Amino acid sequence: MSAVATRASAERRAAKAAGGPLPHQRAKILPTIVLLVGAFYCLVPVAWVVVAATKSSGELFSTFTFAPGTGLFDNLRDLFTYGDGRFVTWAGNSALYAGVGSAASTLISTLAGYGMAKYDFRGRSVLFYAILGGVLVPGMTLAIPQYLLMAQTGLVGSYWSVLLPGLISPFSIYLARVYAIASVPDATLEAARIDGAGEYRILGTIGLPMMVPGMVTIFMLHFVSTWNNFLLPYIMLSDESKFPITVGLYTLLAQGSSEPALYGIAIVGAAVSVIPLIALLLFLQRFWRLDLLSGGLKG
C-alpha cells in the first residue's frame, strides 16, 4: 500500500509540475465532454425556436439562423389575435387535458402503487408484472385501439376522448409502487394499526403525506407528457375549438405553405407554449427541496 501511495503521490507531483491535470481530474474529462455535447444537442433546437420567434416573416428565411430579428412583438400580437384568440383557446384546452388528467392520473397511480407496495393479496405479483409489461408498450401502438374503444362508446370528438386514455399510466403506477416501498416504512403502518387507526386513516394521515414528493414527480412527468402529446388528440378530435396547443400549431404549419406569415405565428406559439412547463417546474421543485431537507433533519 505504501508503494502504491508513493507512486500515486509521485504522479500527482509530476502532473502538477508539468502544469497538466491530475489523474482524477483526467478521469472526469470524458464524461464532462459527453455531457456538454448532449447539452448542446438538446439546447440548440430550443435556442433556434427562441431566436426564430423574434423574426418577422421576411427575416425568417433571409437572415442568419441565430441572428435575432425585430418582429417579436408583432409575432406575439399576431399569435394572440389569430382567429379571435384561438391560441388562448388551445392553451386552455392543453391546461385542461394536462392539468385535470395529470391530477386524476396521479391520484389513481398513487393509490394503485401504494396498494401493491403495502398490501399482500392474491395475484399481486401477476398484476405487477402485467403493469410492468405495460410500461414496455409504446403509447403509439395503443392510439388506434383507444380510438376504436372511444368510437364504440360515442366519445370520439369530446374532451373525454383525450382525458380518459391517460388516466391509467403503467409507468406512473410502477413509479408510485417503488416510491411507496422506499418512503413509507412498514413499521410505521403497523404502529398505527396497533393504535387502532383504520386503513383509510392510515392512508390519509401517513401514507399520502410521505408520498408527496413522489406524487409531485408523477404529476410533473404526466403533465409534460400530456402537454406535449400530439398523436392522441390529433386522432380523437376534429373540432378545432377543442384542439390542444400541439395540434393547433400543427394546423398553422400545415397552412403555412399557402400563408407564409403563419410560420412565424407557429414558431412564436411553440416558444410561448414552453413557458407554462418552465413555470410549473420552478413551482414544484420546492417539494423536492423540502423532501431533501426533511431527510437531512431526520438523519
Side-chain angles (χ1 to χ4, degrees):
M1 290 296 295
S2 59
V4 174
T6 302
R7 184 167 59 253
S9 178
E11 291 177 355
R12 286 195 297 270
R13 288 197 299 269
K16 186 176 181 179
L22 298 176
H24 71 278
Q25 294 175 332
R26 288 197 299 267
K28 299 178 181 179
I29 293 177
L30 181 59
T32 301
I33 293 176
V34 173
L35 290 176
L36 290 175
V37 171
F40 179 80
Y41 177 80
C42 294
L43 293 178
V44 164
V46 178
W48 182 89
V49 170
V50 173
V51 173
T54 66
K55 298 184 179 183
S56 63
S57 299
E59 294 172 336
L60 187 61
F61 300 101
S62 61
T63 60
F64 176 66
T65 300
F66 291 101
T70 59
L72 175 61
F73 295 105
D74 292 334
N75 289 338
L76 289 173
R77 185 193 65 241
D78 294 340
L79 174 67
F80 288 103
T81 58
Y82 172 76
D84 296 327
R86 196 169 298 173
F87 179 79
V88 177
T89 301
W90 295 339
N93 293 335
S94 290
L96 172 66
Y97 299 138
V100 176
S102 298
S105 179
T106 299
L107 179 60
I108 294 172
S109 300
T110 302
L111 296 177
Y114 176 87
M116 286 193 294
K118 298 303 173 183
Y119 294 102
D120 188 11
F121 53 90
R122 182 177 299 178
R124 184 178 68 168
S125 298
V126 176
L127 180 60
F128 171 70
Y129 287 119
I131 292 175
L132 192 61
V135 175
L136 306 178
V137 178
M140 185 176 297
T141 62
L142 301 177
I144 299 302
Q146 288 170 346
Y147 174 82
L148 296 176
L149 289 174
M150 291 297 159
Q152 291 180 356
T153 56
L155 294 177
V156 169
S158 67
Y159 291 109
W160 292 108
S161 63
V162 180
L163 285 170
L164 290 178
L167 293 183
I168 306 299
S169 172
F171 177 74
S172 297
I173 296 174
Y174 170 74
L175 187 61
R177 178 184 180 272
V178 171
Y179 194 86
I181 293 175
S183 64
V184 183
D186 292 334
T188 303
L189 303 183
E190 288 299 326
R193 293 187 181 103
I194 292 173
D195 290 339
E199 295 300 327
Y200 290 107
R201 184 178 180 184
I202 293 173
L203 174 65
T205 59
I206 299 177
L208 292 184
M210 287 183 172
M211 294 184 64
V212 166
M215 294 170 66
V216 171
T217 302
I218 293 172
F219 178 84
M220 184 65 198
L221 294 175
H222 197 280
F223 188 96
V224 173
S225 176
T226 306
W227 184 273
N228 294 326
N229 191 12
F230 169 79
L231 182 61
L232 182 64
Y234 179 73
I235 292 175
M236 295 292 185
L237 303 174
S238 58
D239 185 356
E240 192 169 332
S241 64
K242 298 178 181 177
F243 285 173
I245 288 180
T246 52
V247 180
L249 294 179
Y250 172 79
T251 60
L252 290 181
L253 288 176
Q255 299 171 20
S257 57
S258 57
E259 299 180 53
L262 295 180
Y263 279 126
I265 297 177
I267 291 173
V268 74
V272 171
S273 67
V274 179
I275 295 177
L277 299 180
I278 297 175
L280 182 66
L281 178 61
L282 294 177
F283 173 75
L284 293 180
Q285 69 176 350
R286 70 175 68 181
F287 294 96
W288 294 308
R289 288 204 303 266
L290 287 174
D291 181 55
L292 293 177
L293 179 61
S294 63
L297 292 175
K298 292 175 185 176

